[in-house]
């Protein structure tokens, strides 16, 4: 084993422990803000694993999209809700916990079976020197239609979010003068009083 392989194994161990620890913190912590911050640690750990696999573009996209957009959006949603009251436990909460445990154990057993049944072997293929160019070629040749559809969908979502966030600037419904007269009460005529008479009345 040379120095590069040793560094990769140590880095993988650190990232794996960090990933598992932050993922458990997301699930087990009662404070939802702490869970959201630990979720950012999960995304950063996954980006580090992508770097170990020579996926520099995927790692950068992981940091920009998940840490810089999705996780920040979750934090904004939590802070906008601003729930100060403590959570009240439901009387049948144990049923949900039991179902969650069964589903989690089933997924863990399925993933463990897949890991053990997969014939792992070290690849001798030389990774491409510039993965960004290769991904760009696939985006604009083989996956052009899904790429454009995803961009249109994201654009529609962005425009909808802007409209919902700036609802106070939407034009109000115009009311015609006839409707305005019907809706408003007639004003009582006021008598004009001179300054001298008003001062004598005050005295």
């Amino acid at each position: 084993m040379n120095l590069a392989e040793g560094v990769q194994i140590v880095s993988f161990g650190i990232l794996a422990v960090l990933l598992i620890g932050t993922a458990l913190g997301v699930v087990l912590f009662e404070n939802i803000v702490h869970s959201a911050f630990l979720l950012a640690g999960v995304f950063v750990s996954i980006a580090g694993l992508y770097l170990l696999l020579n996926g520099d573009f995927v790692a950068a996209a992981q940091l920009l999209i998940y840490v810089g957009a999705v996780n920040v959006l979750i934090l904004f949603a939590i802070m906008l809700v601003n729930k100060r009251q403590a959570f009240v436990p439901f009387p049948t909460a144990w049923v949900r916990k039991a179902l969650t445990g069964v589903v989690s154990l089933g997924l863990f057993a399925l993933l463990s079976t897949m890991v053990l049944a997969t014939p792992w072997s070290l690849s001798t293929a030389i990774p491409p020197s510039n993965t960004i160019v290769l991904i760009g070629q696939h985006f604009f040749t083989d996956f052009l239609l899904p790429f454009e559809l995803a961009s249109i969908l994201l654009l529609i979502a962005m425009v909808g979010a802007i409209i919902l966030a700036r609802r106070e600037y939407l034009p109000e419904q115009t009311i015609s003068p006839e409707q305005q007269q019907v809706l408003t009460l007639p004003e009582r005529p006021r008598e004009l009083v001179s300054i001298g008479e008003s001062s004598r009345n005050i005295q």
Side-chain angles (χ1 to χ4, degrees):
M1 179 185 298
N2 54 17
L3 181 61
E5 292 180 358
V7 171
Q8 287 182 358
I9 292 175
V10 172
S11 301
F12 176 77
I14 294 173
L15 289 172
V17 171
L18 183 63
L19 175 61
I20 295 174
T22 51
L24 290 175
V26 171
V27 178
L28 298 178
F29 275 20
E30 295 183 358
N31 194 336
I32 192 171
V33 178
H34 296 168
S35 298
F37 278 109
L38 288 175
L39 185 61
V42 173
F43 293 149
V44 171
S45 303
I46 295 175
L49 293 176
Y50 287 150
L51 283 178
L52 290 179
L53 295 173
N54 294 323
D56 48 0
F57 178 80
V58 182
Q62 174 80 14
L63 291 176
L64 290 175
I65 296 175
Y66 284 95
V67 180
V70 174
N71 199 72
V72 173
L73 180 63
I74 293 173
L75 286 172
F76 277 151
I78 293 170
M79 293 176 182
L80 285 175
V81 171
N82 196 15
K83 184 175 178 60
R84 299 181 181 272
Q85 299 177 356
F87 289 101
V88 179
F90 290 99
T92 58
W94 63 272
V95 177
R96 300 183 180 182
K97 293 181 179 179
L99 291 176
T100 304
V102 170
V103 172
S104 301
L105 289 176
L107 290 175
F108 181 76
L110 179 62
L111 292 175
S112 301
T113 305
M114 292 177 62
V115 169
L116 295 176
T118 301
W120 300 101
S121 60
L122 295 176
S123 177
T124 58
I126 301 175
S129 59
N130 196 347
T131 57
I132 299 177
V133 175
L134 186 61
I135 292 175
Q137 290 176 354
H138 283 293
F139 269 161
F140 291 100
T141 54
D142 301 332
F143 302 99
L144 179 61
L145 182 60
F147 180 69
E148 293 298 330
L149 289 177
S151 63
I152 294 173
L153 180 62
L154 292 175
L155 178 62
I156 294 172
M158 184 178 65
V159 173
I162 293 173
I163 292 176
L164 290 177
R166 300 178 65 86
R167 283 180 298 179
E168 66 273 11
Y169 295 103
L170 292 178
E172 297 181 356
Q173 185 178 3
T174 58
I175 301 176
S176 60
E178 293 80 8
Q179 293 177 346
Q180 186 71 25
Q181 292 178 0
V182 173
L183 294 176
T184 56
L185 296 175
E187 187 178 358
R188 187 178 63 184
R190 299 178 182 178
E191 297 179 358
L192 297 176
V193 180
S194 62
I195 300 176
E197 293 179 359
S198 61
S199 61
R200 275 193 238 104
N201 293 332
I202 295 173
Q203 292 176 359

